[in-house]
Each structure stands twice: as structure tokens, then as C-alpha cells.
């Protein structure tokens, strides 16, 4: 059911897009093998259901904000609304540590996304966060979370490099902002 809800959310987001619809597809169609591989990975993550979608969306939004990918923030904010992320949570992402809008687990997930996105992504921070997450999540869920964050890093950096612009999917809603 989670996968079906996420697929519906993607459909709603893309139907609501108002501009720049062809940016990413315009680039990926030039390399069909890469486009197909991207579609397969996106589908695999979409169908992975070990982790609550709200946690994935928070992690993706944090990574997108740190990368400053406006397209990712646009679609991510629309999908986050569908997954139950509140407007306050979206606004408080840059200061999540001090916000009462998040549970302990949500703060750990956002911190893990931050630690994976910062360069270099090594050291005790990741190990400590992974250990703290293991008190709340299974190894399977942590693996899914790490793959989701890593993919958002790839996705955001690719979109930035190719100049993929926001499509207006979150227009009229709270939208996460790039972080400095």
C-alpha cells in the first residue's frame, strides 16, 4: 500500500507541474541507457517499503536543501506533503536540531542525511548516527534509508549540473529552501 500511495503522490506532483517539464527528460533521452538505469533505480526505491515514506521524504529534502537543488526541493516538498510532513517541519529543516516539530527518530534521520551529504561523508558522525538509528530501525530500514539519501545526492547533483529547473509542483504549499 505504501508503494501505491507513493506512486499516486508522484503522479499528482507531475500533473501539477506547470513549467520546465522537459528539462531532465531532454537530457536523459540523449543517453537512453542511463535514462533506463535511472528509471529502474527510481522504481526500485519507490517500491522499497521497509521504511516509512515520511522518513524518506525528510531525508531527501534535507539532502536536496544542502545540495541546493531547486528541482529536488520542488518535487520533494510536494511529495513530503503527501507523506504527512507538516509545513512547520518543512520550514524547520535548516534548524531541525532545535525544533520541536520532529520526533527523536526524525531528527536522527535528518542528521544522517546531513552527515551523508556533507563532504567528506566519513568519520564518527556517520557511525554514531547509524548506531543511534539502529535503536529505532532494522538494518534493512537503515540500508534503505542510506540508499535513498545516496540517490538523492546523485539526483540533486545531476540536476544541478544539467540545469534542471523547478516545475512548480509545490506551488501554493510550503517548500523547503536551499541551505547555505
Amino acid at each position: 500500500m505504501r508503494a501505491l500511495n507513493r506512486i499516486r503522490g508522484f503522479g499528482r506532483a507531475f500533473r501539477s507541474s506547470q513549467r520546465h517539464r522537459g528539462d531532465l527528460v531532454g537530457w536523459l533521452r540523449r543517453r537512453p541507457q542511463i535514462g533506463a538505469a535511472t528509471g529502474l533505480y527510481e522504481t526500485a526505491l519507490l517500491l522499497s517499503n521497509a521504511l516509512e515514506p515520511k522518513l524518506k521524504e525528510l531525508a531527501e529534502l534535507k539532502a536536496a536543501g544542502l545540495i541546493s537543488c531547486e528541482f529536488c526541493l520542488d518535487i520533494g516538498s510536494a511529495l513530503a506533503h503527501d507523506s504527512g510532513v507538516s509545513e512547520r517541519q518543512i520550514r524547520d529543516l535548516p534548524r531541525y536540531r532545535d525544533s520541536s516539530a520532529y520526533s527523536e527518530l526524525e531528527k536522527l534521520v535528518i542528521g544522517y542525511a546531513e552527515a551523508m551529504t556533507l563532504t567528506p561523508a566519513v568519520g564518527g558522525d556517520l557511525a554514531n548516527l547509524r548506531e543511534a538509528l539502529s535503536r529505532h530501525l532494522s538494518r534493512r530500514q537503515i540500508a534503505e534509508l542510506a540508499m535513498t539519501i545516496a540517490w538523492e545526492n546523485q539526483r540533486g547533483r545531476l540536476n544541478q549540473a544539467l540545469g534542471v529547473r523547478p516545475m512548480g509542483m509545490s506551488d501554493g504549499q510550503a517548500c523547503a529552501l536551499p541551505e547555505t
Side-chain angles (χ1 to χ4, degrees):
M1 195 64 173
R2 282 181 178 172
L4 187 57
N5 288 336
R6 292 195 85 211
I7 291 168
R8 286 183 186 136
F10 271 95
R12 279 190 294 276
F14 279 104
R15 279 192 307 279
S16 72
S17 64
Q18 302 169 17
R19 55 191 178 273
H20 314 302
R21 288 182 180 209
D23 278 7
L24 183 58
V25 173
W27 284 101
L28 292 180
R29 75 172 175 226
R30 288 173 170 77
R31 297 299 304 151
Q33 306 90 328
I34 295 171
T38 299
L40 285 172
Y41 201 92
E42 290 283 356
T43 301
L45 281 177
L46 185 64
L47 297 176
S48 296
N49 290 306
L51 190 63
E52 181 183 340
K54 180 179 180 181
L55 297 175
K56 285 180 170 183
E57 300 300 346
L58 286 169
E60 287 178 337
L61 274 178
K62 183 63 176 181
L66 292 168
I67 296 166
S68 296
C69 176
E70 291 181 5
F71 172 83
C72 300
L73 291 167
D74 181 29
I75 188 172
S77 294
L79 295 173
H81 283 284
D82 263 8
S83 295
V85 176
S86 72
E87 288 191 14
R88 180 171 175 219
Q89 288 176 314
I90 290 172
R91 282 193 316 269
D92 283 2
L93 271 173
R95 56 187 174 281
Y96 73 95
R97 283 184 184 91
D98 301 321
S99 174
S100 61
Y102 305 102
S103 69
E104 176 188 354
L105 175 57
E106 290 167 341
K107 286 181 179 183
L108 287 170
V109 165
I110 296 166
Y112 195 58
E114 182 177 58
M116 281 184 65
T117 304
L118 296 177
T119 303
V122 295
D125 284 350
L126 279 172
N128 292 338
L129 284 164
R130 193 173 46 251
E131 183 180 323
L133 280 167
S134 71
R135 292 191 213 76
H136 302 275
L137 303 174
S138 68
R139 291 175 66 89
R140 183 174 156 214
Q141 290 171 312
I142 294 171
E144 186 175 320
L145 176 62
M147 286 182 240
T148 298
I149 296 165
W151 187 249
E152 182 59 35
N153 271 268
Q154 181 277 342
R155 186 192 292 139
R157 293 172 195 282
L158 176 68
N159 290 338
Q160 287 286 76
L162 297 178
V164 177
R165 298 166 291 177
M167 297 191 321
M169 291 178 262
S170 64
D171 285 359
Q173 304 173 338
C175 185
L177 299 172
E179 296 184 32
T180 55

